[in-house]
Amino acid sequence: MTFAKMEYRRPDLNSVIDRYEEITLKFTEGVSADEQLDLIAQHEKILEKFQTLSTIAYIRNSVNTADPFYEKEMAFFDSSTPVFEEHVQRFYRAVASSRFRKELEQKTGPLFFKNLEIALRSFSPAVTDLKKRENALVTEYEKLLASAQIDFDGKVLNLSELQKYQISPNRSTRREAWEKAAGFFTEHSKRLDEIYDELVRNRTEQAKKLGYENYLPLGYDRLGRNCYGPEDVRKFRDQVSRNFVPFVAEIKSAQAKRLGISGLKIYDDACLFPDGNPVPEGGRQDLVEKAKKMYHEMGPATGEFFDFMLENDLFDLDSKKGKAGGGYCTDIPDYRAPFIFSNFNGTAGDVEVLTHEAGHAFASYLAFRNIPLAELRSPTMDAAETHSMSMELFSRPWDGLFFGGGAEKFHRYQLESALDFIPYGTLVDEFQTAMYENPGLSPDERKKMWLRLERKYRPWISFDGMPFFSEGGGYQRQHHIYSFPLYYIDYCLAQTTALEFWIASEKDWKEAFGRYLAFVKAGGTKTYKELVRQAGLGYPMDSGCLKRLCESVSPKLGL
Ligand code: ZN
């Protein structure tokens, strides 16, 4: 069914709650494992229905944030989702203490129960009101950013549309575009300070109420991390600062040379070539056609998947006024359908959406068809981002299709951006870790911390002449810091694993892609660590992993 035809009706929260009470009671009284399995199946149906409706509302609201109908529906979900979750948790609690746990585990696998326990300890009705407030603050942040109307180049642009100018080959154009963006953030800086301040305090209070020392371990649990903790991530960050920062510093100094400048300013950082970054050939329709050809040539599974996306119109790619920024891929469970949202702007980013977001979509397309339990369809986000980031690199043989004669240039662009991302992502993680370990910091102290970490992880960037950045405001642009706490290191782990897949694909694309398919097909039935090991790749938290990776990648850069 096409997305436009999918019906939306606000769910009746009371009847959903009644249903949960009924099945939870029956489960507790359950006389056999089979009966309990049947109740788990009933729960899956209610859960998927609710998620389907909330996702449809979410998509339609992000496609047009000015539509009052879906704005109201989002407000409904902001306040009712925590109540809904409370009842789901109550059901899970009954499942976790089932008398037939052994028999159930044989059907579901042990990870199902492990994940359940992690989820249970991180939620409680005692924090429902705090979570409602947290949701409202996140919504306010996102609306504030989406409201940006910036006069530039004779047009009125939103922040996504402005990005194109921020990487212009003309240095004064990109400088001016960065100044405009900084101007928007400076104008709203006080409110952005307040929103983040309240978010950190709110999340800390939730952690305390749930018996955690601070939000850090709670955040890990909320992300369902089931195979590593903050200490392992610290080891990964150490490797990044030791091995990756000096490696990327070399790449950045070559970039400055290429641009013919003596040092990189913040507005030069993302402009990799003097004649501008590679741009794809053709508009949205063209690129989608090319992607179709590529996915068919990759193999039958990817071809079938992409046809499904096209037949059911599961994309919203054009940038429009009032549309939320960025891009995402989400799932509509009742239709076994993924959905891809983006803001095409004529940059290489458009192609990256068709590989990155499509990598996510491909994984959920497979999971809907192979994994019956909703809870086991998606792995933790590190592995999920591996699906998408690896797809970006597996698509390299088709770059000629999208970039024509600029394919080689895109290759360099893609590889350098992937490597450059790892220190930045690690900076975002260390910042958030520090924020939740020290929740009492003032807004100014937060900015100082961001700036200190900028120097640690991106010492090559100068903020000279850009007060918003030189005062440490840069974190306010990073929407994950507000909206998805502690979710960012996942990208760095995933980028590492994706680069490992790429190194393997350089030796034998087909063989490496086969290992990738097995990784993706396992969905969430295995932990990230198990998936990486099963694929025969280096595990990022193991010492020496990043050093070896730098050594394998370095000769391919030809600096
Ligand atoms: Zn992603």
Side-chain angles (χ1 to χ4, degrees):
M1 180 183 294
T2 61
F3 178 69
K5 289 216 175 101
M6 291 179 191
E7 197 196 347
Y8 175 79
R9 241 176 321 109
R10 182 186 285 195
D12 177 353
L13 189 61
N14 287 329
S15 79
V16 171
I17 290 172
D18 287 348
R19 282 285 288 137
Y20 262 105
E21 280 178 0
E22 189 190 322
I23 62 168
T24 306
L25 185 68
K26 276 191 187 158
F27 195 96
T28 320
E29 295 168 344
V31 291
S32 71
D34 280 345
E35 194 188 334
Q36 291 193 336
L37 282 168
D38 180 57
L39 290 162
I40 291 177
Q42 291 185 37
H43 136 78
E44 300 272 317
K45 280 222 173 75
I46 314 171
L47 180 73
E48 293 194 336
K49 179 85 198 158
F50 190 86
Q51 284 174 344
T52 297
L53 295 170
S54 91
T55 305
I56 292 174
Y58 178 83
I59 296 169
R60 291 187 180 151
N61 174 249
S62 56
V63 167
N64 180 6
T65 54
D67 178 341
F69 178 79
Y70 286 106
E71 189 179 359
K72 242 196 257 148
E73 295 311 291
M74 281 319 289
F76 163 78
F77 283 109
D78 277 351
S79 68
S80 63
T81 302
V83 182
F84 172 78
E85 278 172 357
E86 207 178 298
H87 288 81
V88 177
Q89 299 301 318
R90 218 174 280 169
F91 178 74
Y92 283 155
R93 218 170 281 281
V95 175
S97 51
S98 163
R99 285 185 287 144
F100 306 104
R101 175 152 170 175
K102 258 211 177 100
E103 289 93 323
L104 298 185
E105 249 184 56
Q106 270 166 7
K107 294 271 183 194
T108 64
L111 196 56
F112 176 81
F113 278 92
K114 186 178 186 183
N115 290 347
L116 216 64
E117 276 155 10
I118 293 173
L120 283 173
R121 65 176 185 242
S122 59
F123 284 95
S124 151
V127 298
T128 301
D129 284 341
L130 285 166
K131 278 188 68 72
K132 281 188 195 171
R133 177 68 188 149
E134 181 190 9
N135 285 344
L137 287 165
V138 168
T139 304
E140 187 190 344
Y141 170 80
E142 287 178 353
K143 281 194 72 166
L144 182 60
L145 261 62
S147 75
Q149 298 211 321
I150 294 167
D151 287 315
F152 199 87
D153 195 24
K155 298 177 200 115
V156 180
L157 307 175
N158 63 30
L159 288 169
S160 300
E161 291 164 324
L162 186 69
Q163 273 170 16
K164 184 176 169 174
Y165 299 94
Q166 290 181 284
I167 53 169
S168 164
N170 182 322
R171 201 175 193 203
S172 65
T173 302
R174 62 180 186 258
R175 185 196 162 97
E176 200 190 323
W178 275 85
E179 275 166 353
K180 285 277 186 180
F184 171 80
F185 281 95
T186 306
E187 191 187 324
H188 297 283
S189 181
K190 193 164 168 290
R191 186 62 199 139
L192 292 168
D193 279 347
E194 288 164 357
I195 294 175
Y196 192 57
D197 195 61
E198 194 180 337
L199 279 170
V200 171
R201 286 167 200 278
N202 174 304
R203 288 168 181 155
T204 303
E205 203 181 327
Q206 291 187 44
K208 299 261 181 206
K209 281 204 163 154
L210 290 166
Y212 293 84
E213 193 191 341
N214 57 44
Y215 185 75
L216 193 61
L218 172 58
Y220 274 56
D221 280 352
R222 290 259 170 95
L223 287 163
R225 290 180 180 158
N226 50 18
C227 63
Y228 58 80
E231 190 47 31
D232 302 292
V233 172
R234 194 186 53 75
K235 284 185 201 148
F236 175 78
R237 288 199 305 262
D238 286 348
Q239 290 190 63
V240 172
S241 74
R242 205 171 37 242
N243 304 116
F244 245 78
V245 170
F247 178 48
V248 175
E250 269 178 60
I251 298 172
K252 300 307 281 188
S253 110
Q255 176 190 340
K257 225 177 268 167
R258 237 174 11 230
L259 294 177
I261 54 181
S262 56
L264 296 176
K265 305 265 190 187
I266 178 86
Y267 47 87
D268 301 317
D269 183 50
C271 177
L272 298 195
F273 303 93
D275 55 346
N277 290 348
V279 273
E281 294 178 346
R284 190 244 311 151
Q285 187 128 29
D286 239 10
L287 295 179
V288 170
E289 274 306 310
K290 289 169 177 175
K292 180 180 173 182
K293 183 171 159 52
M294 172 179 80
Y295 283 118
H296 275 275
E297 287 173 8
M298 271 186 184
T302 45
E304 188 193 291
F305 144 73
F306 206 74
D307 287 347
F308 175 83
M309 297 295 290
L310 289 172
E311 277 156 22
N312 296 291
D313 212 3
L314 298 166
F315 297 98
D316 195 291
L317 301 175
D318 294 317
S319 196
K320 304 178 264 242
K321 194 162 290 161
K323 191 170 165 175
Y328 63 78
C329 170
T330 187
D331 297 334
I332 315 168
D334 279 358
Y335 299 94
R336 301 289 180 254
F339 187 92
I340 295 177
F341 171 97
S342 181
N343 281 279
F344 270 25
N345 58 5
T347 68
D350 298 354
V351 175
E352 288 163 330
V353 167
L354 291 171
T355 54
H356 181 102
E357 301 305 342
H360 287 305
F362 176 54
S364 52
Y365 175 84
L366 287 181
F368 277 134
R369 283 150 188 81
N370 296 309
I371 303 172
L373 284 171
E375 286 82 358
L376 294 179
R377 278 186 205 129
S378 322
T380 42
M381 295 316 295
D382 32 43
E385 292 302 339
T386 302
H387 299 156
S388 52
M389 291 173 139
S390 307
M391 186 63 101
E392 291 183 51
L393 295 172
F394 275 115
S395 70
R396 278 164 82 92
W398 288 270
D399 285 342
L401 208 58
F402 297 106
F403 293 94
E408 267 314 303
K409 187 174 167 187
F410 179 72
H411 276 167
R412 172 165 293 280
Y413 165 80
Q414 185 184 42
L415 194 54
E416 290 192 6
S417 310
L419 296 165
D420 183 22
F421 174 75
I422 291 177
Y424 175 70
T426 309
L427 147 68
V428 172
D429 183 65
E430 190 161 334
F431 175 76
Q432 297 193 75
T433 305
M435 292 306 105
Y436 294 118
E437 282 179 335
N438 307 285
L441 296 184
S442 68
D444 273 354
E445 288 167 326
R446 293 201 173 101
K447 286 179 177 148
K448 281 202 183 93
M449 175 69 77
W450 177 263
L451 199 59
R452 189 178 73 70
L453 294 171
E454 279 274 15
R455 293 199 184 106
K456 175 176 174 185
Y457 286 103
R458 307 202 296 171
W460 48 84
I461 293 182
S462 150
F463 302 106
D464 183 26
M466 295 287 230
F468 171 73
F469 294 99
S470 61
E471 286 159 16
Y475 82 88
Q476 300 188 329
R477 295 170 58 242
Q478 188 55 60
H479 114 110
H480 297 74
I481 292 177
Y482 286 76
S483 309
F484 307 105
L486 297 171
Y487 172 33
Y488 214 70
I489 197 66
D490 307 75
Y491 289 120
C492 304
L493 299 170
Q495 189 64 272
T496 304
T497 305
L499 285 163
E500 295 253 343
F501 267 129
W502 172 64
I503 294 288
S505 80
E506 286 277 284
K507 289 182 195 122
D508 184 343
W509 190 94
K510 243 188 143 158
E511 188 273 340
F513 195 69
R515 285 197 261 158
Y516 167 74
L517 281 181
F519 186 115
V520 176
K521 272 188 187 149
T525 61
K526 293 192 163 72
T527 67
Y528 170 63
K529 190 174 186 173
E530 289 165 345
L531 291 165
V532 171
R533 298 247 195 263
Q534 172 193 283
L537 306 172
Y539 183 58
M541 253 76 84
D542 287 345
S543 76
C545 176
L546 288 192
K547 185 163 180 282
R548 274 194 306 277
L549 184 60
C550 292
E551 284 161 5
S552 315
V553 174
S554 181
K556 298 187 186 291
L557 277 169
L559 289 177

